[in-house]
Structures are given as C-alpha cells and as structure tokens.
Amino acid sequence: MDYKALAQLLFPEVTDTPEDMEARFPARELPEGAFVSRMAPSPTGFVHLGNLVQGFTSERLSHQSGGVLFLRVEDTDAKREVPGAVEILIDTLKHYHINFDEGATVDGDQGAYGPYRQSQRAPIYHVYAKLLVEQGQAYPCFCTEEELTAMREEQEAKKENFGYYGRYAIWRDRSIEDVKAAIAAGIPWVLRFRSTGNIENKLKFTDLIKGNLEITENDIDHVLLKSDGIPTYHFAHAVDDHLMHTTHVVRGDEWLPSLPFHVQLHRALGFKMPKYAHIGTLQKMDGSSKRKLSKRKDPELALTYYREQGFPVAAVSEYLMTILNSNFEDWRRANPDADLNDFKFSTKKMNPAGSLFDITKLRDVSKNVISRMNAAEVYAYVLDWAQEYDPDFAAALASDPAMSTAIFAIGRGGKKPRKDIAIWSEAKAYMGFFFDQFFRMEDGIDEKFSKTDVKVALQAFAAHYNPDDEQTTWFDKIKFIAETLGYATDMKAYRAEPEKYRGSVADVSMFLRVAVTGKLNSPDMYEVMRVLGREKVSARINALLETL
C-alpha cells in the first residue's frame, strides 16, 4: 500500500504539516514547574458537581504552580449540544470562581492557542489525521450501520469482545483501488486508527491520583474522524492537549477504560503525554450502602441546585476541599482565618476510590462560613440571591438597608457567633418576621398557661418597655413581671421545685417572643426589639392581646 498516495486521496485539501502546527502554537513561556491544565466540558446544558470538582482541581494545580488554566469546549458531538449551553457553562463556572486565564468566552476566544471550540479546529485535526495515514497508522472504513450492527450481534452471540478489530476490521487492509471505488460510489467513510496492541499484553501507567496502574493494551481500531470530518473526543483531545501544551489533565475515572487507547494514540502521534489525574466518582449514602450521584435521583448533582438554594460560593469551595484533600480539615482547624487559596492542594491527598458527598456536612460547613461573615456581607449576599429568586423579599431588604443589616448583625461576631443560616434561601424564614408583610403567628402559647397570666405579662411589659434600656435593665423588668405573677426568676430553683411556681421567667420571655416574632424560636429578643423599635413592639403585643 502506498500510504502517502492514500493520504493524498483522503485529504487532498490539507497542505499544512505538523511542523506548521508546531510553529503556529509554540511552547509557552512559563516559570519552571508551572502546570498548564484545562477544563474541557461538553456543552450539554447540564453543569454538574463533577464538573466543579474537576475544575476546582485543575484550577488549584495550575494557579498554585504559577501556571495557566484554560477553557476548551468539546463540542464535536452536535447531537448532544444544547443552544446557549456554552454561555450557561461559562456563567456557572465564573459564579464558582473558576477563573480561566484563556480559552472560550461568551464573546469568542481569548488566548493565543485557539480556536478553543473543537468544532472550529477541524483543519488542525486533519493535518494529524493525514500524518497518521501517511505513516500507515490510520485508514478509511466504509462500513455501513447495518454491517456494524451485524458485527456486534455476531460478537454478542459468540461472547467475544465488542469492537472493530482482527477479522472484524474488514477495511483495515483493503487495497487503494477498493478505497477509490468506494469514494467514487459516494459511500461515507470514517477514519480509523490502526491498532498494534494485543489484549494479552499489559502496560504500566502512573496516575497522579490512582497511583501505579497496570492496564491492558488496546486492540480496537477506534474511530478518529467521523464521516463529517469532525474528530472523536479521543483524537481531538490528544491533538489539542499537545498543541495547547497541556501538562496536566484532570478528568473523571470513567475515562480509565479509554486510557490504553489514549496512550497508544499519543505514541503514534509522537506526542509527549501529559500527566493524568483520574478523579473517583462522587458517591452518597443510600441507606446503608453507597451509590453514585445520579442526575435523575439527586437534585444536588446539578450546580443550579446550589445557586437556587443559596449556598455561598465560599462554602461550596470549602466543602469540596474537605472531600478532595484528606488533610484540609486539619489545616483549616490550625488556620481558621486563612484564605482558602493558602492551602497547598495536592493530588496525593485525593482518595483514589472517590469521595463521599454529604449534603448535611455541606450545610454545616456553610453555617460556619456564614458565621464568619460580617453583617454587611451577609446582607449583600442575601439581597443578591433574593433579587434573582425572591423579588418580594429583595424589595423588603432593599427598602431599609440599615435595618436589614442590623438584623443580620444580631448574634454575629464574638467567639461563639450564632449559626442560624446555612443557605441564603433560609434567611427569609429566619428574619422575615421583622417585616410586617411577612409576619405570621407561626407558633402559639401553650394552653397550659392562664390567659390572664399572659395578658398581665404582656400588658405590663408594653407599659414599661424602653428601647434605651441596657440589656440587664430590660431583663430585670421581665423578671419583675414574672415574680409578680408567681413565676420563678431563678431557673435553678424552678427546676428543683417546679410545683412551687406557676411557671418561670423563661415562660414569660416566651410570651413576649411569640407576641413579637410569632415564633417560639428566634434570635436574641433584646436585640430583636431594639431593631423593631418601641412602636412596632407595642403594636404586635397589642395585636396578640386582642386575640386573648
């Protein structure tokens, strides 16, 4: 076979050479030891937690080494592409502070190694496809769908490995005359790799997360170019990572079965293979067993879930670091106020088997993250979330920024700040009662208490409430009311002999809490009343009195 003649027959329009491509995309000028990594998702419109885990890992590896992170859109599968998906992808990753140094943007490309959309790089791939044909390492295949289906059915019946190989590779050694005849007949063709592998052989490979692996050689003649001239992922990613000078590839371990072919392909092309880090599957507990997070079963797989619920970006990042690096939590305890970026991320601290995702722990992390924010930050974040997901609540917050900020300041700061809010969507339930339009009597006063006692307590407090009182004076007034009613003011004494009293000062405080907030549980009542002001406190107490 004259492979050069075959290559010219298949790719007559290709005049560039691999040397031309090397000159067009020269080596990057970076500090020694700098990593170049990428995110290369498909634009399906569904951006999931796994994307963020991979992006976060790539971002840390590249940026903490002084390197480059770029975004490449792998849009070679037109059937899966969703209109607007690229914009959704870029916006979502930006929201989670995955900031790219170069790559695809909403408005086009930014960087010297583009195009960064694979659908626009067909001429580049054809240069290397022609090279492989010239070297006898690739050939055209004119099999029809019917022939491939029959082949698969025969393999299934004989319990043989599936794929185009051995005697099933019927176009592997066909003559150039047969190829010319098929082309003349207008039969579509794909370009296949000519594998020299043998499944009896093993090759050794070192993965940055999985460690030392022994994998079976590939013997399948995989497709490199589809009939429309667009490459498969396998071929495209090898060419792109080489020309973009990628040093580290982070991807899910569902790609491990393709690794033997990728090793083989890089060798055939004469490319230095980047280092690979295959991340284990995200799992969750389902009863007493673990299972993979599912798009169908688990809303928390989609990144839109975290945005809609209002998880702070900082909390999601903090939590992901806890499941990605086993030493992060010890570091955080030793450095409670340090910037997350100060932590030295390492693939050696990643679990080869994958991570267990726990939404409860994420909420706990989020509570801690929010508790460390000041009131102005919380107000700004809640307002931003509400403007998108709860316009009525946003309008209330924006109507009085000073009051809203004062609300979020209650119990904030100090060694033991309150941790009432885990997500921004909980803010309305937490503090909505401050606004008349959201105030509801959600809880009532236990009927075991005399209505007369409740009335007397509420009336007495309303008559003597002064928002200028210090907290001690404020509480002394409540204790005086309790004592007048025969309620214990000493909780220790009350717990020792409850039968001696009609109730306790805690019960009187509860009467006031329900009247003012409509709830049995709320932030510190002294601070709540100071924010509400005398007029509103009195109005709510009087409103409850009218129902008794």
Side-chain angles (χ1 to χ4, degrees):
M1 170 70 79
D2 184 343
Y3 292 125
K4 288 191 179 296
L6 178 62
Q8 188 60 29
L9 176 65
L10 298 177
F11 301 101
E13 77 288 352
V14 176
T15 57
D16 285 332
T17 66
E19 290 73 23
D20 293 327
M21 294 299 102
E22 300 291 338
R24 179 177 165 186
F25 302 107
R28 296 173 181 273
E29 294 183 6
L30 293 171
E32 185 176 350
F35 296 172
V36 177
S37 192
R38 43 77 162 174
M39 277 199 72
S42 300
T44 61
F46 181 67
V47 190
H48 56 81
L49 196 60
N51 294 135
L52 191 57
V53 167
Q54 292 173 34
F56 197 42
T57 303
S58 296
E59 189 278 333
R60 286 291 76 211
L61 290 177
S62 55
H63 287 160
Q64 75 178 10
S65 68
V68 171
L69 176 69
F70 66 89
L71 174 64
R72 184 174 71 224
V73 179
E74 300 195 340
D75 57 350
T76 58
D77 190 345
K79 294 178 182 178
R80 297 182 64 210
E81 185 169 354
V82 174
V86 173
E87 289 75 11
I88 293 171
L89 172 69
I90 292 172
D91 177 64
T92 302
L93 295 175
K94 183 178 179 181
H95 177 72
Y96 287 99
H97 298 168
I98 304 295
N99 296 312
F100 298 97
D101 303 295
E102 62 183 61
T105 72
V106 172
D107 301 318
D109 285 344
Q110 176 183 319
Y113 293 84
Y116 293 93
R117 288 168 171 80
Q118 288 185 333
S119 60
Q120 299 173 9
R121 296 174 62 85
I124 297 173
Y125 304 129
H126 289 184
V127 170
Y128 289 93
K130 186 174 185 179
L131 171 69
L132 290 176
V133 176
E134 287 177 342
Q135 295 175 341
Q137 298 187 99
Y139 62 92
C141 171
F142 296 86
C143 283
T144 64
E145 286 297 325
E146 292 75 17
E147 288 175 315
L148 294 174
T149 298
M151 177 192 76
R152 186 177 180 86
E153 289 174 350
E154 181 180 346
Q155 290 170 340
E156 186 174 16
K158 294 181 177 180
K159 296 183 179 181
E160 296 177 333
N161 291 335
F162 292 128
Y164 196 89
Y165 63 93
R167 69 182 184 84
Y168 295 106
I170 58 177
W171 278 92
R172 180 183 175 107
D173 295 313
R174 298 285 278 269
S175 68
I176 196 166
E177 287 73 25
D178 286 347
V179 173
K180 287 179 179 179
I183 291 176
I187 302 175
W189 56 274
V190 299
L191 188 71
R192 289 186 179 274
F193 182 72
R194 187 188 298 272
S195 174
T196 57
N198 188 322
I199 58 172
E200 300 298 322
N201 299 331
K202 301 286 184 180
L203 60 92
K204 294 181 178 180
F205 184 86
T206 300
D207 184 84
L208 294 178
I209 297 174
K210 305 290 185 183
N212 294 327
L213 303 174
E214 192 173 75
I215 55 180
T216 302
E217 282 187 351
N218 166 66
D219 69 338
I220 307 295
D221 288 3
H222 288 290
V223 174
L224 300 177
L225 294 180
K226 293 173 279 190
S227 58
D228 58 2
I230 297 297
T232 59
Y233 164 81
H234 309 287
F235 186 43
H237 102 282
V239 173
D240 290 342
D241 283 335
H242 172 70
L243 293 179
M244 295 177 181
H245 301 279
T246 306
T247 65
H248 290 71
V249 172
V250 179
R251 62 186 186 182
D253 63 5
E254 66 271 15
W255 287 106
L256 277 174
S258 301
L259 185 59
F261 175 44
H262 295 166
V263 172
Q264 196 176 45
L265 186 55
H266 277 81
R267 289 176 178 174
L269 288 163
F271 295 163
K272 178 182 179 181
M273 199 165 185
K275 295 183 183 298
Y276 279 79
H278 288 90
I279 298 179
T281 304
L282 282 175
Q283 302 173 77
K284 70 178 292 186
M285 294 302 299
D286 192 349
S288 58
S289 60
K290 297 178 184 177
R291 65 167 173 79
K292 180 181 177 181
L293 279 174
S294 161
K295 179 180 178 180
R296 182 172 58 86
K297 296 180 180 179
D298 306 308
E300 64 268 32
L301 182 61
L303 288 189
T304 50
Y305 170 84
Y306 302 95
R307 203 163 178 173
E308 291 165 359
Q309 292 292 308
F311 280 94
V313 170
V316 175
S317 299
E318 185 96 359
Y319 175 68
L320 287 182
M321 193 62 86
T322 69
I323 65 175
L324 284 175
N325 265 203
S326 58
N327 61 328
F328 175 74
E329 289 184 88
D330 288 339
W331 177 86
R332 174 53 79 198
R333 280 189 287 270
N335 303 275
D337 300 318
D339 189 293
L340 183 70
N341 292 332
D342 293 341
F343 174 71
K344 186 67 174 176
F345 183 87
S346 172
T347 54
K348 294 179 181 179
K349 296 296 183 179
M350 298 178 74
N351 187 343
S355 302
L356 184 64
F357 180 79
D358 183 349
I359 193 73
T360 301
K361 185 170 181 179
L362 170 57
R363 285 179 57 85
D364 288 340
V365 169
S366 191
K367 285 181 180 180
N368 288 330
V369 168
I370 293 174
S371 73
R372 293 196 293 265
M373 297 178 182
N374 62 47
E377 289 176 307
V378 175
Y379 169 69
Y381 282 126
V382 174
L383 178 61
D384 182 64
W385 174 87
Q387 285 172 334
E388 184 172 359
Y389 298 103
D390 192 341
D392 291 341
F393 185 39
L397 290 168
S399 68
D400 193 338
M403 186 186 82
S404 299
T405 304
I407 294 169
F408 289 122
I410 297 174
R412 192 161 295 280
K415 292 183 178 180
K416 293 185 177 181
R418 289 182 66 91
K419 298 178 181 179
D420 300 278
I421 302 174
I423 49 181
W424 305 134
S425 57
E426 293 176 349
K428 187 176 183 179
Y430 166 70
M431 48 83 81
F433 68 84
F434 281 93
F435 303 95
D436 289 340
Q437 64 267 44
F438 304 129
F439 177 76
R440 302 285 185 275
M441 290 300 295
E442 297 179 16
D443 298 316
I445 297 173
D446 197 312
E447 293 183 356
K448 71 179 182 179
F449 294 105
S450 160
K451 285 188 176 181
T452 301
D453 287 356
V454 176
K455 285 182 179 181
V456 170
L458 294 178
Q459 289 169 341
F461 183 84
H464 297 94
Y465 175 59
N466 183 347
D468 294 329
D469 284 342
E470 295 290 334
Q471 188 162 10
T472 302
T473 304
W474 172 83
F475 191 56
D476 282 342
K477 290 180 178 180
I478 297 175
K479 288 199 292 185
F480 178 77
I481 295 169
E483 190 172 26
T484 302
L485 289 170
Y487 284 48
T489 58
D490 184 330
M491 292 305 297
K492 186 176 181 180
Y494 177 70
R495 284 191 289 269
E497 298 178 284
E499 67 280 359
K500 290 179 60 176
Y501 305 96
R502 296 168 63 82
S504 73
V505 68
D507 297 321
V508 175
S509 297
M510 179 267 292
F511 302 161
L512 293 169
R513 188 181 301 277
V514 171
V516 174
T517 71
K519 300 179 176 185
L520 289 169
N521 294 297
S522 72
D524 181 82
M525 278 304 298
Y526 173 73
E527 296 295 344
V528 166
M529 290 183 180
R530 283 171 61 86
V531 172
L532 284 171
R534 180 182 177 86
E535 183 178 338
K536 191 166 287 189
V537 168
S538 297
R540 292 190 178 179
I541 289 175
N542 290 332
L544 182 57
L545 284 170
E546 289 176 5
T547 68
L548 296 175

